[in-house]
Amino acid sequence: MLSIRDALEALEGRWKLLILFSLSDGPKRFGQLAKAILGITDKTLSAELKRLETNKLIERTVHATFPPTVVYNITEHGRSLEGVLEGLHYWGLAHRQIVIGKGKFHEGEQ
């Protein structure tokens, strides 16, 4: 049970898996992530990015430009969750069809 608790603590909340899913197709800047993840506030996104970085699931790279460019990328450790993310994605699609009904997806949702 300790391993499950550790995993849940690293991924708890409604946003972390969505951030990782968004970063799984390539690095993104803060604004790109904010647009990709509907409903997240800038304050929450900032806090979640810090937590993901602390857990070594993403890395933050600051480029020496003016103004500085900050890019977020999933780490190799974060990529180890790809199977979990893919499984959740397909389970979620099936779940929506069962609960909501086929074809009743909200615009902008994946």
Side-chain angles (χ1 to χ4, degrees):
M1 286 220 195
L2 184 59
S3 61
I4 298 293
R5 190 182 83 198
D6 289 346
L8 289 174
E9 285 179 7
L11 300 170
E12 73 179 331
R14 108 185 239 195
W15 304 110
K16 289 182 188 77
L17 290 173
L18 294 173
I19 293 167
L20 289 170
F21 189 72
S22 182
L23 289 173
S24 68
D25 66 351
K28 290 187 177 55
R29 296 182 63 186
F30 187 91
Q32 292 172 307
L33 285 167
K35 286 180 185 174
I37 303 167
L38 299 176
I40 194 167
T41 65
D42 286 352
K43 180 180 176 181
T44 299
L45 177 57
S46 180
E48 295 292 32
L49 288 168
K50 287 176 186 171
R51 288 183 191 110
L52 287 167
E53 189 176 11
T54 297
N55 281 297
K56 307 210 181 301
L57 297 171
I58 65 166
E59 61 187 356
R60 177 182 185 266
T61 305
V62 180
H63 297 281
T65 59
F66 185 81
T69 304
V70 179
V71 177
Y72 296 92
N73 196 15
I74 195 165
T75 62
E76 195 62 35
H77 183 50
R79 289 214 179 276
S80 69
L81 289 166
E82 282 182 343
V84 173
L85 292 172
E86 186 176 334
L88 280 171
H89 171 68
Y90 288 115
W91 184 87
L93 289 173
H95 178 68
R96 289 180 65 90
Q97 287 181 346
I98 291 167
V99 174
I100 297 173
K102 188 174 182 177
K104 294 187 179 178
F105 294 87
H106 297 287
E107 189 174 322
E109 292 185 346
Q110 297 179 0

